[in-house]
Amino acid sequence: VLFRSAALAGSFFGYDGCSFVTPSKSLVMQDHITDIVVLGGGTAGWITAGLLAASDRKLTVTLIESPDIPIIGVGEGTWPSMRATLQKIGLPETTLFKKCDASYKQGTRFFDWSKPGESYIHPFSMPAEYASFNMAENWQLDSAGSSSFADYVTPQAAVIMSGKAPKQATTPEYAFNVNYGYHFDAGLIASELQAHIVNTLDVRYVSANLTAVISANDGSIEGLKISDGSTICGDLFVDCSGQRSLLLGEHYGVKLTPVSDILFNDRAIVVQVPYSETNAAINSVTHSTASEAGWIWDIGLQTRRGVGYVHSSSHADEDAAFSTLQAYVAATSSTLDPDSLRYRTINFSSGYREQFWVKNCVAIGLSAGFIEPLEASALALIEQFATMLSQQLPVTREMIPPIARKFNDKQHYHWQRIIEFLKLHYVLSSRKDTPYWNDCREPKSCPESLLDKMQIWDQQAPWHDDAPRLDELFPSASYQYVLYGMGHRASHLRQRSRPDLAQKIARSVEEKRQQLLALLPDNRELLMSTQAVAEVG
């Protein structure tokens, strides 16, 4: 008899043995991968478990979650990709609005980033005719002084500024008039995902702490010993255990590649802010406001706002940062006493793992890495790599090495592109009011790849070659929205192409803008009507 490992063979010599979901699971070496163990809950763990279970109902998926680690639950923003993720899992959209305090997100509005008093919008809709025609160069030559770039290329900016929702009440679930993602309470969405995935997709849930990792002879993970004394075995283990990275980081010793020399923020102070009135407007964009040593997010949910000051501890001590956040709360909630609220401090290290898949262990979520929450990349990365894992799950153990190498290569590419894109926001700023912003613009803190792109963009607008992969987290359109929203103008711009076509497209954008403004309801109005339908249902 060939035992799966010496550790498993120990079950005949005093070892407690493994707990398998399927009673027929043999103690003989299993080549096929059928049992997946996810360590850690939260949005990362439950999205990963849900996508795996939904992709192949023959898989056995077990999720182990510590009962002692609370979810932060300050409110999270997503990209439009979350709609496809929730559809794959089978979670009704109305459930989000009924149980997760969710609201619509159409992008991000940036305040004071370029300079105090100025703002711009990074919407989720692509510029008109973007696949075949680049409007950016024509805008710089013809319309930069008369309209914002976002207004010139998409009607969504006007929809956002008018407080409109991204769809009508009669629009089907997950469909839209203009592209959108969500804001929701992180704790509530995790709980709802758990209930849906356990009950609908038959994922096994175990509430316990990890006490030991059982290794096989080849160094792969055989099983996880947990606090009730049992051991959960599997063929593949997904580390969703947060920044501690209990499997990839602590067990395998895979170190973080720090990026604190590029992106300086390492601390956030967060607070939940109630609305001053029950019918207060709900923003359908994340507000991002630049401040002395970082920036403040402001996410509007149905019943409250989630607010947080992300900043560099090297440029502001905690007392100064706390005062900055309280001043923002007072300025945006005039009837509220900021001292009456509960504030929490979250420290984090910006970086990503040197490897993301080792042996039969793959990390997804914070265990793989974390870089500050600007542009809401964290959840989008979870979706992207959980989807990749579910689509390319190794059928046999022999397939793990090539798929792991592909996964690692793809992860490294995306992390580097995220760092580059986030740094763009800081490099473009004209603020000179504090050392923080001066330090952020230092060329030595900027990736060489971004410096090269910015030189190229001085003669031509970003387009498909600047973000060539179909699965780019931030497509080249995102670079355009930030670049021109923050005031960049090319000094060696080539002659514009097809001005007649550009004018035609601009007219169609204006016509669509007027149609949408007349058609779409107020954002809170749609949320409340959706909530009412959900409650009746």
Side-chain angles (χ1 to χ4, degrees):
V1 176
L2 297 175
F3 296 115
R4 295 182 65 199
S5 73
L8 184 55
S11 62
F12 293 94
F13 303 100
Y15 176 57
D16 288 340
C18 289
S19 169
F20 291 108
V21 177
T22 49
S24 61
K25 184 78 173 182
S26 171
L27 297 182
V28 180
M29 174 71 75
Q30 297 292 317
D31 182 59
H32 280 70
I33 292 177
T34 59
D35 285 273
I36 315 296
V37 180
V38 179
L39 179 65
T43 48
W46 286 112
I47 285 175
T48 301
L51 288 174
L52 286 168
S55 69
D56 186 348
R57 298 309 300 273
K58 295 180 182 178
L59 287 175
T60 297
V61 181
T62 302
L63 186 144
I64 305 170
E65 182 178 42
S66 170
D68 301 324
I69 301 177
I71 295 173
I72 295 174
V74 294
E76 291 195 55
T78 75
W79 278 75
S81 54
M82 183 60 73
R83 299 202 318 273
T85 295
L86 296 179
Q87 282 182 293
K88 291 175 187 175
I89 292 173
L91 185 71
E93 189 176 48
T94 51
T95 300
L96 290 181
F97 299 111
K98 181 180 179 181
K99 298 184 177 181
C100 302
D101 206 15
S103 61
Y104 297 106
K105 176 180 177 179
Q106 298 185 57
T108 302
R109 187 177 180 192
F110 292 88
F111 296 88
D112 302 336
W113 275 80
S114 177
K115 60 182 66 172
E118 294 190 356
S119 69
Y120 73 95
I121 292 174
H122 177 188
F124 283 152
S125 292
M126 287 286 190
E129 305 299 330
Y130 192 69
S132 58
F133 189 75
N134 191 350
M135 292 278 282
E137 291 174 0
N138 286 276
W139 172 78
Q140 291 184 80
L141 291 167
D142 293 336
S143 303
S146 59
S147 70
S148 71
F149 176 71
D151 268 321
Y152 182 72
V153 299
T154 174
Q156 188 165 33
V159 171
I160 291 167
M161 293 298 292
S162 299
K164 299 290 187 177
K167 61 196 296 182
Q168 298 169 275
T170 56
T171 307
E173 282 200 331
Y174 296 114
F176 59 88
N177 294 93
V178 290
N179 206 9
Y180 70 89
Y182 307 100
H183 292 136
F184 47 55
D185 183 292
L188 295 177
I189 188 66
S191 297
E192 195 55 39
L193 285 171
Q194 174 183 336
H196 173 78
I197 290 168
V198 169
N199 295 329
T200 305
L201 299 176
D202 300 322
V203 168
R204 179 194 181 197
Y205 175 63
V206 178
S207 177
N209 290 310
L210 176 70
T211 59
V213 178
I214 309 300
S215 296
N217 286 337
D218 65 355
S220 62
I221 297 175
E222 184 68 46
L224 304 180
K225 194 171 183 62
I226 57 177
S227 51
D228 67 2
S230 65
T231 300
I232 308 295
C233 288
D235 304 308
L236 187 73
F237 294 81
V238 186
D239 187 351
C240 297
S241 62
Q243 290 196 74
R244 286 189 62 188
S245 189
L246 296 174
L247 301 183
L248 195 73
E250 292 194 6
H251 176 69
Y252 280 115
V254 179
K255 298 185 181 300
L256 276 176
T257 299
V259 298
S260 56
D261 58 331
I262 301 172
L263 296 165
F264 305 145
N265 295 337
D266 58 0
R267 185 170 61 197
I269 303 175
V270 301
V271 62
Q272 296 181 1
V273 181
Y275 289 112
S276 56
E277 300 176 358
T278 56
N279 62 344
I282 300 175
N283 293 317
S284 65
V285 286
T286 296
H287 281 187
S288 173
T289 302
S291 192
E292 290 86 349
W295 59 277
I296 296 170
W297 81 70
D298 192 333
I299 288 176
L301 304 181
Q302 291 181 39
T303 62
R304 63 172 177 82
R305 293 155 49 210
V307 180
Y309 182 25
V310 185
H311 58 280
S312 164
S313 62
S314 297
H315 293 83
D317 61 34
E318 192 163 4
D319 289 341
F322 180 73
S323 296
T324 297
L325 181 58
Q326 278 205 319
Y328 177 87
V329 172
T332 57
S333 304
S334 58
T335 61
L336 188 68
D337 177 9
D339 289 329
S340 66
L341 304 177
R342 177 173 172 261
Y343 299 81
R344 288 175 286 167
T345 298
I346 303 168
N347 296 305
F348 59 88
S349 299
S350 283
Y352 58 91
R353 298 287 165 185
E354 294 174 352
Q355 290 179 284
F356 309 95
W357 191 324
V358 175
K359 298 292 184 178
N360 65 337
C361 173
V362 55
I364 292 178
L366 296 180
S367 56
F370 179 74
I371 297 172
E372 64 156 283
L374 183 65
E375 295 280 12
S377 61
L379 276 177
L381 274 175
I382 290 168
E383 294 177 78
Q384 189 172 68
F385 290 107
T387 298
M388 181 182 178
L389 179 62
S390 68
Q391 293 175 343
Q392 301 184 22
L393 186 71
V395 175
T396 65
R397 289 174 180 268
E398 286 73 18
M399 289 303 299
I400 287 180
I403 291 176
R405 285 191 289 271
K406 182 177 181 180
F407 189 93
N408 283 329
D409 288 345
K410 189 172 183 179
Q411 280 263 30
H412 276 107
Y413 174 86
H414 284 295
W415 280 104
Q416 290 159 14
R417 296 291 78 74
I418 289 169
I419 293 164
E420 175 187 276
F421 181 66
L422 298 189
K423 184 65 175 179
L424 178 66
H425 296 65
Y426 296 96
V427 171
L428 291 171
S429 177
S430 299
R431 293 181 64 118
K432 299 178 180 179
D433 51 337
T434 64
Y436 173 84
W437 292 99
N438 293 329
D439 291 346
C440 284
R441 281 190 300 272
E442 281 290 327
K444 65 181 180 181
S445 73
C446 188
E448 185 176 3
S449 60
L450 179 57
L451 293 175
D452 287 346
K453 285 182 178 179
M454 291 185 68
Q455 281 192 288
I456 293 171
W457 295 336
D458 208 32
Q459 70 167 27
Q460 63 195 64
W463 208 22
H464 303 313
D465 285 347
D466 294 284
R469 296 177 62 150
L470 291 175
D471 61 352
E472 296 280 356
L473 193 62
F474 298 109
S476 55
S478 291
Y479 285 84
Q480 288 192 357
Y481 284 126
V482 174
L483 195 68
Y484 303 124
M486 292 192 67
H488 175 83
R489 301 294 180 267
S491 57
H492 304 290
L493 191 64
R494 300 178 304 176
Q495 181 65 32
R496 63 187 180 276
S497 61
R498 296 292 308 276
D500 57 330
L501 179 56
Q503 291 172 7
K504 181 181 178 180
I505 295 172
R507 286 194 298 269
S508 70
V509 170
E510 175 60 27
E511 291 172 1
K512 186 67 172 178
R513 178 186 298 116
Q514 297 304 323
Q515 291 172 3
L516 288 171
L517 292 179
L519 185 72
L520 293 172
D522 171 83
N523 192 44
R524 177 176 277 279
E525 175 188 341
L526 179 60
L527 285 169
M528 295 305 99
S529 65
T530 304
Q531 176 79 292
V533 170
E535 290 174 355
V536 171

